[in-house]
Amino acid sequence: MTYVEPGGSWRPFWPVAGVVGLLVVVDLLLPGRGVPSLVLALAGCALGAVLGHTLMVRRAWTVRVDAEGADAGLTVGRERVPLADVDAAHLRAVTVGTAGADAGAAVLGGGGSLPRGRAGLPLRLIDGRTVLVPTRDPAALTTALLAALRDTPDGSRGRKGTLGS
């Protein structure tokens, strides 16, 4: 099972690409001088800036939960937390509102604060630190994390070796 929440959308890119495309078409259809080269250059620069920003946001803030394989973990941008390091009891307490984040908790993915439009899902690690996971849908991320952790009633994580130990 894999849960992926993209860090950004392509929506800002398409209107700018449409305007640049319209300018190119107008330049080709107009007889004579057409659209000034400075306007085309500025439109191209704007398209490049929007493309760069969209790619950066998608790389930096995409949240991914991989539950399968030896590399099972939560990834936000370039930061990765193995699922074995997540305190599932604290995550369940967060869902009922009896637990939260420590003051000054670090934001996964880098940066000192949460990106605009995202909430911070508090996650306690087994070493006692609390981190915030930037997400647009905390309920869906919580469900994915709890399903990936597969806790059993005796407190073990439900992962066993090849010999059942």
Side-chain angles (χ1 to χ4, degrees), residues 87-101 120-124 130-132 138 142 146:
D87 183 357
H90 180 264
L91 186 57
R92 280 192 298 278
V94 167
T95 61
V96 296
T98 59
L121 177 67
L123 212 65
R124 179 163 293 151
T130 303
V131 294
L132 293 174
T142 301
L146 288 174

Side-chain angles (χ1 to χ4, degrees), residues 9-108:
S9 170
W10 285 101
R11 272 185 267 157
F13 172 77
W14 294 116
V16 176
V19 168
V20 171
L22 183 65
L23 285 173
V24 169
V25 168
V26 167
D27 186 46
L28 293 174
L29 293 179
L30 283 179
R33 300 185 72 193
V35 179
S37 338
L38 180 62
V39 172
L40 288 174
L42 290 175
C45 289
L47 182 64
V50 171
L51 176 64
H53 180 265
T54 301
L55 290 173
M56 184 269 310
V57 167
R58 289 182 67 88
R59 285 186 183 151
W61 298 114
T62 295
V63 177
R64 181 181 192 96
V65 178
D66 292 313
E68 304 296 323
D71 61 339
L74 167 71
T75 307
V76 180
R78 292 184 176 180
E79 287 192 60
R80 186 175 172 286
V81 175
L83 288 180
D85 291 352
V86 176
D87 183 357
H90 180 264
L91 186 57
R92 280 192 298 278
V94 167
T95 61
V96 296
T98 59
D102 296 335
V107 177
L108 280 181

